[in-house]
Amino acid sequence: MRVLITAGPTYEPLDPVRFLGNRSTGKMGYALAEAFAAAGATVTLVSGPTNLPDPIPATIVTVRVETAAQMFAAAGAEAETADVWVFAAAVADYRPAAVATEKIKKSGETLTLELVKNVDIAATLGQRKRPEQFAVGFALETTNELAHAQDKLHRKGFDLIVINSLRDAGAGFGHDTNQVTVLDRAGAVLNFGLRKKTDLAADLVALVLARCQPPSGVGSGG
Ligand code: CTP
């Protein structure tokens, strides 16, 4: 089984020394890469900038990128041959319309940046997803979690969506623990109580493997 995972933030450059980014650490995506590898899968981990070392197992290839456009290119190159897609990256929705070639100097009391929309990696790849491919998305919501996540699941062609709520203590960016709710296309809701991201990753991998039918089965050797 081949698995494609996006992880971490994206950095969108503004000038040679500055960028727009977010607080994603990549921990959840890296933990999923390790858990899929432990289950016998071959993994491509497309990672935005993180402080994490490349995962060690030889069955995980880590591709380092910086921007959403680079992440899209790297993920797009692997999407067709992957059986499972996991979109764990916190992709910047917008990037600066222009990247200054020199450092932007301080001038007026205010500075207005023009931003343009980035490609939605999950939604764009979702349009060319084959029926036997299985896609998992993540959603970070602060209000109406289930309704927003359900909308994203259908809009982006996910089979499962993992919902992080910023209202939950110990969940989300920067923590070693996470507490999530998983929603499927039929509307079924599964709650995973607070646990280490590495344990949650193993539980999510088990859920995905139970839901998708690889042609020959993970670890079956044929
Ligand atoms: N995603 C992506 N490319 C983007 C934005 C998001 O692949 N440009 C993926 C994320 O990796 C995640 C899912 O889409 O799996 C949901 O991301 P989220 O940021 O919550 O959704 P948005 O569509 O950006 O919705 P909003 O920011 O309005 O809540």
Side-chain angles (χ1 to χ4, degrees):
M1 174 182 271
R2 300 186 69 88
V3 180
L4 164 68
I5 301 177
T6 67
T10 65
Y11 283 3
E12 309 298 330
L14 183 56
D15 69 14
V17 294
R18 303 185 179 97
F19 59 85
L20 298 183
N22 61 67
R23 297 184 194 281
S24 168
T25 60
K27 279 180 190 164
M28 195 65 234
Y30 279 56
L32 283 162
E34 306 241 4
F36 272 110
T42 300
V43 180
T44 300
L45 174 65
V46 180
S47 174
T50 70
N51 290 323
L52 303 173
D54 286 3
I56 289 164
T59 46
I60 304 177
V61 174
T62 306
V63 182
R64 299 270 177 182
V65 298
E66 221 169 86
T67 65
Q70 291 165 357
M71 185 174 277
F72 178 59
E78 295 296 322
E80 195 183 334
T81 53
D83 305 294
V84 176
W85 301 344
V86 180
F87 299 101
V91 184
D93 289 328
Y94 293 88
R95 68 179 182 279
V99 183
T101 50
E102 304 295 337
K103 184 183 168 205
I104 298 171
K105 299 297 286 180
K106 177 165 59 192
S107 53
E109 286 306 309
T110 63
L111 173 69
T112 304
L113 295 176
E114 190 186 356
L115 305 179
V116 292
K117 211 176 221 169
N118 270 334
V119 60
D120 189 316
I121 299 168
T124 309
L125 294 181
Q127 286 169 5
R128 43 171 148 125
K129 178 172 167 268
R130 297 188 305 276
E132 73 276 15
Q133 290 181 306
F134 195 91
V136 182
F138 277 74
L140 180 69
E141 307 289 349
T142 53
T143 55
N144 293 329
E145 288 92 344
L146 281 179
H148 284 140
Q150 192 157 33
D151 171 61
K152 268 176 210 176
L153 176 131
H154 290 288
R155 196 157 36 86
K156 304 196 188 202
F158 296 146
D159 296 284
L160 292 176
I161 191 159
V162 181
I163 310 165
N164 289 294
S165 171
L166 272 188
R167 285 191 293 200
D168 296 326
F173 287 171
H175 293 278
D176 285 323
T177 53
N178 208 355
Q179 178 174 0
V180 303
T181 302
V182 178
L183 192 67
D184 74 7
R185 293 187 76 82
V189 176
L190 286 150
N191 285 304
F192 291 84
L194 191 68
R195 63 196 74 187
K196 288 200 302 193
K197 282 182 177 171
T198 46
D199 292 339
L200 177 61
D203 294 338
L204 290 175
V205 166
L207 179 65
V208 170
L209 296 183
R211 297 271 179 133
C212 68
Q213 278 113 30
S216 52
V218 169
S220 68

